[in-house]
Amino acid sequence: MPSLVNMEVELAVKGFLIDQEKMAEVVERMTKELKMGLAKDTHPRAVIKCFVTYVQDLPTGKERGKYLALDLGGTNFRVLLVNLVGQSDIQITSKSYDFPSTLMTGTGKALFDFLAECLAEFCKENGLENDNLPLGFTFSFPLQQQGLSKGILVAWTKGFNCEGVVGKNVVQLLQDAIERRGDLKINTVAVLNDTVGTLMSCAFNHPNCRIGLIVGTGSNACYVEKTVNAECFEGYQTSPKPSMVINCEWGAFGDNGVLEFVRTAYDKVVDKVTPNPGKQTFEKCISGMYMGELVRLVVVEMIGKGVMFVGDSSQKIQQRWSFKSSYISDIESDGPGEYRSCNKVLHELGIIGSQEADKEALRFICEAVSSRSAKMCACGLVTIINKMNINEVVIGIDGSVYRYHPKYHDMLHFHMRKLLKPGVKFELVVSEDGSGRGAALVAATAGQSKPKM
Ligand code: BGC
């Protein structure tokens, strides 16, 4: 324990420090829930839904052609043109669109009209209006898929809550919005989760990739299951294809109370102030949307107790969500006894003239929250690898937390190693632009439409 950290602070973060025994327990409970999601008779009441994605082919590396992709579900909305020219030559033209936050909680019609408008603008700018290119729609929310290009929204997550979309086929809503405009020819051939795009994108270059993971605004994983185990797929016993990608939707793990033994009082406060209280319990312990707020809650409590930032009266830190998760990555980037990034963060928060002990305490709190996130993620991945019963696997990963936190990769690796059976080999690989090139690859393997060369 760093000596500069006050006992009160140590006590406050204690709940985030999960030991090996508890981690093993998380794996055990998660294994049970995962199996419930897969099996037909328990699926309806399972919390980890293990949705069938209808993606049965991993890329061969030989996919070619031009595809459009839409990416909705993170912090911004993107339209992409992906040209698969060769295995090491993928040309991507993309544009991010400012996503007015009012759209996140407005009507579904406004949301899809906005997507169609951006798509139309993008196609005009790139002279694609009449090309009728196949489109892969990366829609990163829980979908009950009924085919590769049909997905019913089960629930919104990550702060989205648009009216009139839950229970509807989002591909149809997109096509309707495109048709309302009447100025575009677009053929949506696939809808996919970002984890699936991440898996596909990584598998394009790493043939042994079997798991896709996102640790960003939200968190989730998908993996390659044997078709015969994907009981919720109508053709699970007769399909000629041996594999089926399963979108676990692991964020919902714990929604039935089985994670209470690792949750803290701070987790409960965060949950209450989200638009989906009681939902996405595991995700709220892991992902970037919530980590900063967890840190902030501890800090504010410490300020209230007079043990941190004494004499500094920052109003900003008292505001909900004012402590961005990216601050955690910044603060933990500083070397020992160094506070360059920390000072910047404190400056942004309007905290001036703090003591070294305050900065050490702040770093300590950040480390507690980020290491718990990595531990939980390790538990999730180990659950999946055990379920797959394989000895070697590549895991494709994307998301801002994994990418930008300086120690996340190492922590994840360390805890997985400790939890996995000896001899199981795994590699954690950053997956490039799953939502773009992954979407193109799903569209390509869909084989429903002949790509334009
Ligand atoms: C969504 C998943 C998604 C994950 C990562 C979660 O909130 O439910 O579908 O894969 O975020 O973006």
Side-chain angles (χ1 to χ4, degrees), residues 73 140-142 157-158 193-195 214 218-220 249 280 283:
S140 308
F141 301 95
T157 59
K158 297 178 286 197
N193 192 258
D194 50 355
T195 56
I214 299 283
S219 179
N220 185 18
E249 285 297 334
Q280 299 297 100
E283 173 168 84

Side-chain angles (χ1 to χ4, degrees), residues 118-175:
C118 296
L119 180 60
E121 188 190 305
F122 182 87
C123 287
K124 272 177 207 138
E125 279 171 14
N126 292 282
L128 304 166
E129 304 98 301
N130 299 312
D131 285 10
N132 203 2
L133 291 179
L135 180 140
F137 183 14
T138 306
F139 185 82
S140 308
F141 301 95
L143 282 187
Q144 172 99 56
Q145 284 191 238
Q146 294 177 350
L148 197 56
S149 59
K150 185 169 182 189
I152 313 292
L153 179 66
V154 175
W156 286 112
T157 59
K158 297 178 286 197
F160 277 74
N161 201 3
C162 303
E163 191 194 306
V165 187
V166 170
K168 303 259 173 68
N169 171 13
V170 295
V171 174
Q172 192 59 53
L173 296 180
L174 176 68
Q175 278 314 135

